[in-house]
Amino acid sequence: MAKTEIVLHGTALSGHAHRVELLLRMLGLAYRFVDAPAGVRQSEEFRKLNPIGQIPVIEDGDLVLADSNAILVYLAKRYAPGSTWLPEDAVGAARVQRWLSIAAGEIRFGPGNARLIAQFKVPGDATACAAIAGRVLKFMDGHLSGRNWLAAENPTIADLACYSYVAHAPEGGVRLESYPTLRAWLARVEALPHFKPMPASPIPQVA
Ligand SMILES: N[C@@H](CCC(=O)N[C@@H](CS)C(=O)NCC(=O)O)C(=O)O
């Protein structure tokens, strides 16, 4: 267990921070959430934690670590070594890594950015994001056919990394109705012990 309370810098509506909070909770680790909205992220103090100004960042004793997927890997290896959250064997680890890359790639630039454009007025090409979202969600729906989890027979950090921006895709105008297998997987993640939802964003896009 953690010797000290882990500090998580994030915001309530950041899916990148949400995935970290999910693993902290599921591993039963003591943590303190520190809100870091845009104004804070631009401060000199925050830039000492992460020079590129992004959340999430964790502080764990002397360690300062940024990047949601890097943090998931760290927490799993540091606090749950040998557990099923992150397999040790070559193929198992590579399967998880593949989905961490999809979370940071197609999911972020598809449903993730579609939500940023719709909810937070971040400039971007909503049509291009919707196209990326459609491709990756269709792929995930097919991949999950006959499987319960993305990368293994059990939940791994891959499922947590991919969950938040897929679950909140409708907030970016990306519908999930045509992906029943994907929606069943979302429900399985939500049924995991200690799951906590990310709050809904304020502007409805899809009824
Ligand atoms: N690769 C990073 C991306 C994190 C990210 O994009 N965070 C957003 C909030 S969800 C952020 O801090 N944006 C502010 C910025 O990029 O300046 C990760 O996985 O943690």
Side-chain angles (χ1 to χ4, degrees), residues 15 23 62 69 144 164 171:
L23 187 62
D62 292 338
N69 292 341
L144 284 160
S164 312
E171 293 170 9

Side-chain angles (χ1 to χ4, degrees), residues 11 13-17 19-20 36 38 41-42 46-47 50 52-57 66-71 103-104 108 113 115-116 165:
T11 61
L13 297 182
S14 161
H16 289 102
R19 68 184 69 163
V20 171
R41 296 197 294 266
Q42 280 149 19
F46 187 84
R47 297 281 163 151
N50 184 3
I52 59 173
Q54 290 182 336
I55 49 164
V57 176
D67 191 276
S68 59
N69 292 341
I71 296 168
R108 193 256 157 81
N113 278 1
R115 175 173 168 269
L116 280 185
Y165 289 126

